[in-house]
Amino acid sequence: MVDNLITGATRNLAHNQGNSRFAFVHQNVSEGLDVDGPVDIVFNLASPASPFDYLKYPLETLAVGSEGTRHCLELARRKKARFLMASTSECYGDPLEHPQVETYWGHVNPVGPRSVYDEAKRFSEAITMAYHRTCAVDTRIVRIFNTYGPRMKLKDGRVVPAFVDQALRGEPLTVFGDGSQTRSFCYVSDLVDGIARLAMADPVPGIQYPVNLGNPNEISIRRFADVIIALMGATDARIEHKPLPKDDPKQRCPDITRAGQLLGWKPKVPLEEGLKLTIDYFKGLSD
Ligand code: UDP
């Protein structure tokens, strides 16, 4: 595993200590990447992923999506390895089609603040397809929708840790805008299962095209605040409305037909169950 820890933390790797099949390299893939010996698969998961983080590190986010991805693809090409690109539902921008199917080209503001992430990931997809077409690299692209679970950063600004943190501290839950915007939240173990299936799938024709992975259970952010309040028993928690960030997508829900057909995949963990596990994790941190 290679990470420059710009947004990650080594404590998330603690469970791998003593595992002789695991190695950690502290490095920025935007500056280059090489590995001794054979490589079977390169997973390119490198990038800040929370809007708060990528707006704090705009140039680093653009660099890792472009140069970082190119270095990962070059490694795959040199080693004759398979390559999996972790892309994003942000490729659809503020979508005009709903739910989002992989064939939808999206509605992205190319000069807005979120473009540092959206366009970097769109470039990542483009260069992945180019290496597939011109260098015959066996490539896969997964478009990841909102995912949550243990080992998220409590202060990464995303809505799940933000609401749980606020409820734990007895602070008001900050709903951006009127809260009518929707998201569809997928528990981390379901996402990992989908990524593993795509990585291991035989190289059948068409496998190189993007696959959505996410939970189609769509919910408004205002209602999501109520779910967190109920699960945490924070019945006297207040809601505080704050301005909606620029270009915040109004609706997001994956069409997962392709993942079902190609991988036999669908998410299993219901929202309340996944949230309970996540809340327990965050409570453990603050003990
Ligand atoms: N959001 C919110 N309050 C917060 C953080 C986020 O209302 O404290 C909203 C945000 O505006 C967006 C949704 O929750 O509509 C999901 O935001 P997040 O940053 O988790 O991920 P995004 O889907 O925007 O990448």
Side-chain angles (χ1 to χ4, degrees), residues 239-253:
I239 301 289
E240 186 179 306
H241 288 274
K242 293 219 166 167
L244 191 67
K246 183 161 168 43
D247 298 335
D248 196 284
K250 285 183 265 313
Q251 50 182 2
R252 184 181 287 157
C253 178

Side-chain angles (χ1 to χ4, degrees), residues 49-52 54 88-90 114 117-118 145-147 152 156-163 166 172-185 220-222 224-225 240-245 247-252:
S50 131
F52 178 83
Y54 61 69
T88 169
S89 56
E90 284 279 335
R114 293 176 90 97
Y117 184 67
D118 300 8
F145 284 64
N146 293 68
T147 301
M152 286 181 100
D156 88 351
R158 277 181 284 192
V159 70
V160 175
F163 282 179
Q166 289 158 350
L173 274 63
T174 52
V175 170
F176 297 163
D178 64 4
S180 63
Q181 71 274 25
T182 67
R183 293 295 185 272
S184 309
F185 295 99
S220 76
I221 295 303
R222 181 61 188 81
F224 185 66
E240 186 179 306
H241 288 274
K242 293 219 166 167
L244 191 67
D247 298 335
D248 196 284
K250 285 183 265 313
Q251 50 182 2
R252 184 181 287 157

Side-chain angles (χ1 to χ4, degrees), residues 10-83:
T10 44
R11 73 167 171 279
N12 288 340
L13 305 173
H15 58 291
N16 291 304
Q17 233 176 10
N19 179 351
S20 61
R21 300 180 63 200
F22 179 83
F24 174 67
V25 180
H26 189 176
Q27 192 182 317
N28 183 354
V29 295
S30 304
E31 288 162 6
L33 180 63
D34 206 0
V35 175
D36 289 336
V39 174
D40 297 319
I41 308 184
V42 178
F43 290 86
N44 182 18
L45 305 155
S47 180
S50 131
F52 178 83
D53 283 338
Y54 61 69
L55 295 174
K56 186 170 165 197
Y57 299 111
L59 299 181
E60 292 84 348
T61 302
L62 284 160
V64 75
S66 52
E67 277 302 275
T69 301
R70 191 174 67 80
H71 290 136
C72 293
L73 278 159
E74 272 298 319
L75 178 69
R77 188 183 61 81
R78 283 198 304 276
K79 299 282 182 179
K80 301 197 184 333
R82 188 170 286 175
F83 175 84

Side-chain angles (χ1 to χ4, degrees), residues 109-277:
N109 175 356
V111 292
R114 293 176 90 97
S115 66
V116 297
Y117 184 67
D118 300 8
E119 298 292 13
K121 289 289 187 182
R122 287 167 68 100
F123 177 88
S124 297
E125 292 197 4
I127 192 171
T128 299
M129 292 305 293
Y131 268 76
H132 175 75
R133 292 191 180 108
T134 59
C135 309
V137 178
D138 178 7
T139 59
R140 315 284 156 97
I141 297 172
V142 51
R143 289 192 182 140
I144 300 172
F145 284 64
N146 293 68
T147 301
Y148 68 98
R151 302 203 192 114
M152 286 181 100
K153 268 191 309 184
L154 199 51
K155 302 284 180 195
D156 88 351
R158 277 181 284 192
V159 70
V160 175
F163 282 179
V164 174
D165 186 38
Q166 289 158 350
L168 282 174
R169 292 165 177 275
E171 292 171 1
L173 274 63
T174 52
V175 170
F176 297 163
D178 64 4
S180 63
Q181 71 274 25
T182 67
R183 293 295 185 272
S184 309
F185 295 99
C186 184
Y187 188 65
V188 61
S189 61
D190 281 329
L191 176 75
V192 170
D193 175 41
I195 291 177
R197 285 176 192 236
L198 182 61
M200 302 313 290
D202 289 337
V204 294
I207 190 99
Q208 72 274 20
Y209 289 109
V211 182
N212 287 339
L213 290 182
N215 192 321
N217 183 9
E218 186 182 4
I219 182 170
S220 76
I221 295 303
R222 181 61 188 81
R223 237 195 65 62
F224 185 66
D226 287 339
V227 171
I228 296 282
I229 287 170
L231 281 176
M232 297 185 69
T235 37
D236 47 3
R238 286 192 306 111
I239 301 289
E240 186 179 306
H241 288 274
K242 293 219 166 167
L244 191 67
K246 183 161 168 43
D247 298 335
D248 196 284
K250 285 183 265 313
Q251 50 182 2
R252 184 181 287 157
C253 178
D255 181 309
I256 56 168
T257 311
R258 181 164 153 81
Q261 286 168 347
L262 209 60
L263 313 171
W265 178 86
K266 66 169 194 270
K268 296 193 192 84
V269 182
L271 183 64
E272 299 213 340
E273 196 181 314
L275 282 176
K276 278 185 194 152
L277 295 166

